[in-house]
Amino acid sequence: MYNPPLPPTVSERSTTLFAYGSRLQPIRSGRFADAASALAWIGGAAATVGHPAGLAVAGVLLGIVATSVKRAVAAGVSFGITVAAGVVVLAVTGATPPAGGFTPVEMIGLALLGPPTAAAVVRALG
């Protein structure tokens, strides 16, 4: 079977689909990686407080600053567990604010599935 020679840029390609991954390397593993991760958490939490779609925003931000797909999923899961715990506390105390028409059970499901999925997709792409 004939295998055509590949240009060096294709054979040396990283595991991501897009080329911007190498430009984000200083943010992911450089001097300010912890600060970038903390800002992603804060930005995601602020977006989630404003609207349930903020869970996807949090996942995207966490996926951008993650060093690998596994770490992106782990960050998304930990964020989702934190939000789900907050929803449980608010539901138990009876202080549940309106969340775009979602019940607390639906919000817990969204919190546990949304951020890890968005983070994994974003990290896999770049």
Side-chain angles (χ1 to χ4, degrees):
M1 177 174 196
Y2 174 71
N3 290 326
L6 297 174
T9 56
V10 174
S11 62
E12 296 172 2
R13 187 169 173 82
S14 67
T15 59
T16 61
L17 296 175
F18 296 109
Y20 69 82
S22 61
R23 288 182 275 177
L24 290 175
Q25 202 59 29
I27 294 172
R28 291 179 175 153
S29 61
R31 180 175 165 189
F32 299 108
D34 293 334
S37 180
L39 286 174
W41 267 76
I42 292 168
T48 302
V49 167
H51 193 274
L55 292 167
V57 172
V60 168
L61 292 174
L62 291 169
I64 288 173
V65 299
T67 57
S68 67
V69 176
K70 287 182 181 181
R71 289 184 183 255
V73 171
V77 167
S78 62
F79 184 84
I81 289 171
T82 304
V83 171
V87 169
V88 168
V89 168
L90 289 175
V92 167
T93 61
T96 307
F102 293 108
T103 65
V105 174
E106 292 170 333
M107 279 301 298
I108 291 171
L110 287 173
L112 294 177
L113 294 175
T117 304
V121 168
V122 167
R123 185 58 184 104
L125 291 177

